[in-house]
Amino acid sequence: MAHMTGVKTFLVSIWIAAVIGNTGAQAGEAEALAISANIQARHLPFGTILDPVFASSASDQIVGYTRCGDSAIWTGHYLAAEAFRYQVTRTPEALDSVRRALAGIKSLSDVTGTNLLARCLVPSDSPFAAGIRSEEATHGIYTNSSAGYIWVGNTSRDQYSGAIFGLAVAYDMVDDPGVKSTISQLVTLLIDHLSDNAWSVVMPDGTISTTFLVRPDQILTFLQVGRHINPGHFSTLYDVQSFLLTAAVLAPFGVDVLSDDSYFKFNLDYINLYNLIRLDTNVTNTVNRKAYSILRNHTAGHQNAFFDVIDRALNGPDATRDAETLVLLDAWLERPPRDKYVDLHGIVGVCGDRACRPVPVPLRPPADFIWQVSPFQLAGGQSGTIESAGIDYILPYWMARYYSVASPATVQSAASSITTVAPGSIASIYGSSLSAATKQADAQPLPESLGGVSLSVRDATGTGRAASLLYVSPGQINFIVPQDIQPGLATFIVTTGGAAAVSAPGTVLPAAPTLFSASANGNGVAAATAIRTQAGAQGLQAPVPVFQCGASGCVAVPIDLGIDTPVYLSLYGTGIRNSSSLSNVTVTINGVNVPVLYAGSQPEFAGLDQVNVALTLNLRGSGETNVVLVVDGQTANPVTLNVR
């Protein structure tokens, strides 16, 4: 009886986790917000983007910072990402991030004393200054004694392009007067400095680090942004330069697409043409679009989420491309955050010194911004001690949200981020302004209205059915998919106060298995129970712990298997009950098929399903290993188990 009481308590906790779920952000958005929080915590030590160096690949102790030489370009990309986030969410946190990134770019201009843009800056007394000074010595180290900073020179066109890109996006996406005023002043100073120096980047000693004269498209982009932000100051200059330079715009793109060497050039081309084309209302835009066509024709098949979403911005919706964008963003989330060395020889097809086709995003070698690296690259990385910022996820993600590539609301299982659901399963819809208040159901049967909110599901036949609600909040609703809903594409409609507020597309399958994890996010150790029995006396049972949770999270507890004391495991999930037959349900642990004794509904809690398996002796020594459930050919999210 004590064991049964413990199981009941556990099941209550699992169901409550399904009721409340992972509140506050939709699938994809949760990851984007986590990346932004990590950038704030680790990647802005001096106000601009740098990447931390850790003591070891397994350590979280920061012992240095690197990639200072590209701080300006990635701070510009980060500013753009947070500006799109602000426009989509209108949250104070996003506005704070915009202001911080904007202040960082401004500091790169202020520190030089001439309105030249520095690559990066570091407080002279920082314990990390010596390492950065050594790493960036070839670019030239300059000192602003009065401000107490050293800064890195030899500024490239890349750094200016990244900064101007971010400033232009933020000017249009953020309606805060202070932000707009700062951007207007900063853009004017940066462009005037370049124009006054004949479009060359002049260092304090008079040397020229680079010139824009070889890239008329970049000159016109900057002047177009300047005219947009400060028309009284730049309109005449833009008109003059447009007359002189437009005819020369196409040539650099024809050269760029001759090879994929220095692949970062394509990222620069995309960010500059994004602003040049979207802001240009003159006849010259015909030439700019021809330049873009040259670029796009070469790179469209490169499986590049950032390039795809810029194409969406410039050319409008395309179902195939937009679907690819979402798949590529999901694939990015499978990438490790650190720079562990990758060698794909023998893993992907090799044609000469490159992959024969674009490498799957999760396998690509590490980079500071994956979309500026050739998708055909076979090897790269270092020792796993450098953490990339993740701007290559949040920028295309928030752009996808802004340009309606990603839905403002999404439907997924309540157990994991799998985006298919089944009749009778527990599901979640994530979005914003879904409910005016936070409420949860406190009894069964579940209500069809909660806190003034209801949800209906219109299936592939056009029939709508009301869903039972477990939990409602401004950012999330958890509900039971109606059992008699027909499989296929469906529309999930949230109604507040009698009016339809939000709708989201979703896919309903007869079976869409997902498993709960102890951490309630679908990853890590299974939310499972186990019992040990006595051979020949099945009534003698004792509970076996599967996991334990503490302040640092949940970990698996090793399970000992005995010859005369068989162990049986119960997994809990949803979307399982509609399996065609028990024979079409399989569970593998450490790659070994184990007997499935039951797969169906857990009768006490709405939407909760259960799978019972026997842990066979050939699993001994498996250690921490994956548990994989397949129902009618549909694979659930893998969870883990530890078998000793």
Side-chain angles (χ1 to χ4, degrees), residues 256-267 269-270 294-309 311 321 324-325 328 331 354-362 364 370-377:
D256 282 352
V257 300
L258 291 177
S259 79
D260 291 332
D261 295 341
S262 302
Y263 194 88
F264 64 87
K265 64 192 174 187
F266 297 130
N267 184 59
D269 289 344
Y270 269 94
I294 295 171
L295 172 67
R296 186 63 185 170
N297 288 340
H298 180 75
T299 58
H302 288 187
Q303 297 181 13
N304 190 306
F306 185 41
F307 296 177
D308 283 353
V309 79
D311 191 65
R321 179 208 58 214
E324 177 188 75
T325 301
L328 294 171
R354 53 183 263 164
C356 298
R357 56 182 54 88
V359 173
V361 170
R364 294 182 191 178
I370 192 66
W371 314 119
Q372 73 151 354
V373 178
S374 171
F376 306 101
Q377 182 175 324

Side-chain angles (χ1 to χ4, degrees), residues 37-384:
N38 189 62
I39 288 173
Q40 294 287 324
R42 288 178 164 177
H43 290 265
L44 293 167
F46 316 122
T48 67
I49 294 291
L50 297 175
D51 288 341
V53 182
F54 296 98
S56 71
S57 60
S59 172
D60 282 332
Q61 178 190 357
I62 296 175
V63 297
Y65 278 93
T66 188
R67 298 171 177 165
C68 187
D70 281 335
S71 188
I73 185 173
W74 303 131
T75 305
H77 283 60
Y78 175 59
L79 173 60
E82 294 296 343
F84 279 114
R85 173 190 168 193
Y86 174 76
Q87 181 59 225
V88 169
T89 66
R90 313 294 292 189
T91 61
E93 294 80 9
L95 181 57
D96 287 344
S97 294
V98 165
R99 288 170 172 158
R100 188 170 180 183
L102 177 57
I105 294 177
K106 185 176 184 298
S107 73
L108 295 177
S109 176
D110 291 344
V111 75
T112 65
T114 63
N115 299 324
L116 164 73
L117 184 71
R119 285 178 174 266
C120 72
L121 80 171
V122 183
S124 303
D125 59 357
S126 167
F128 306 121
I132 292 172
R133 181 190 290 270
S134 175
E135 184 177 55
E136 300 294 339
T138 57
H139 285 310
I141 305 297
Y142 300 87
T143 301
N144 184 326
S145 299
S146 60
Y149 283 94
I150 61 170
W151 57 276
V152 179
N154 194 33
T155 310
S156 64
R157 296 194 307 271
D158 310 22
Q159 309 307 311
Y160 273 98
S161 292
I164 295 293
F165 167 68
L167 292 167
V169 168
Y171 186 84
D172 285 345
M173 294 296 115
V174 181
D175 54 8
D176 178 80
V179 168
K180 282 186 171 294
S181 176
T182 299
I183 291 174
S184 179
Q185 295 171 31
L186 182 54
V187 165
T188 301
L189 292 174
L190 289 173
I191 297 176
D192 275 351
H193 176 77
L194 292 175
S195 178
D196 291 345
N197 285 281
W199 294 100
S200 294
V201 180
V202 181
M203 293 294 109
D205 60 4
T207 60
I208 295 175
S209 64
T210 190
T211 179
F212 284 88
L213 295 177
V214 296
R215 293 302 305 232
D217 56 303
Q218 295 179 5
I219 293 175
L220 292 178
T221 295
F222 292 2
L223 289 175
Q224 183 68 265
V225 170
R227 182 175 72 162
H228 177 64
I229 292 174
N230 189 351
H233 189 76
F234 287 109
S235 289
T236 299
L237 181 58
Y238 173 80
D239 289 340
V240 171
Q241 292 298 324
S242 178
F243 176 79
L244 295 173
L245 298 178
T246 295
V249 163
L250 295 180
F253 293 91
V255 174
D256 282 352
V257 300
L258 291 177
S259 79
D260 291 332
D261 295 341
S262 302
Y263 194 88
F264 64 87
K265 64 192 174 187
F266 297 130
N267 184 59
L268 301 178
D269 289 344
Y270 269 94
I271 62 175
N272 282 301
L273 286 177
Y274 169 77
N275 280 319
L276 184 57
I277 291 173
R278 76 181 181 91
L279 296 176
D280 193 352
T281 58
N282 293 339
V283 68
T284 53
N285 217 2
T286 302
V287 176
N288 299 333
R289 283 200 168 272
K290 286 182 179 178
Y292 180 76
S293 294
I294 295 171
L295 172 67
R296 186 63 185 170
N297 288 340
H298 180 75
T299 58
H302 288 187
Q303 297 181 13
N304 190 306
F306 185 41
F307 296 177
D308 283 353
V309 79
I310 288 179
D311 191 65
R312 167 63 177 83
L314 298 180
N315 284 329
D318 178 276
T320 301
R321 179 208 58 214
D322 294 347
E324 177 188 75
T325 301
L326 298 180
V327 169
L328 294 171
L329 288 174
D330 285 344
W332 187 96
L333 294 171
E334 300 176 36
R335 293 180 55 77
R338 297 194 185 181
D339 68 330
K340 187 175 181 181
Y341 186 76
V342 170
D343 188 343
L344 299 174
H345 289 87
I347 297 175
V348 302
V350 176
C351 294
D353 61 351
R354 53 183 263 164
C356 298
R357 56 182 54 88
V359 173
V361 170
L363 299 181
R364 294 182 191 178
D368 49 7
F369 191 82
I370 192 66
W371 314 119
Q372 73 151 354
V373 178
S374 171
F376 306 101
Q377 182 175 324
L378 291 167
Q382 299 183 53
S383 60

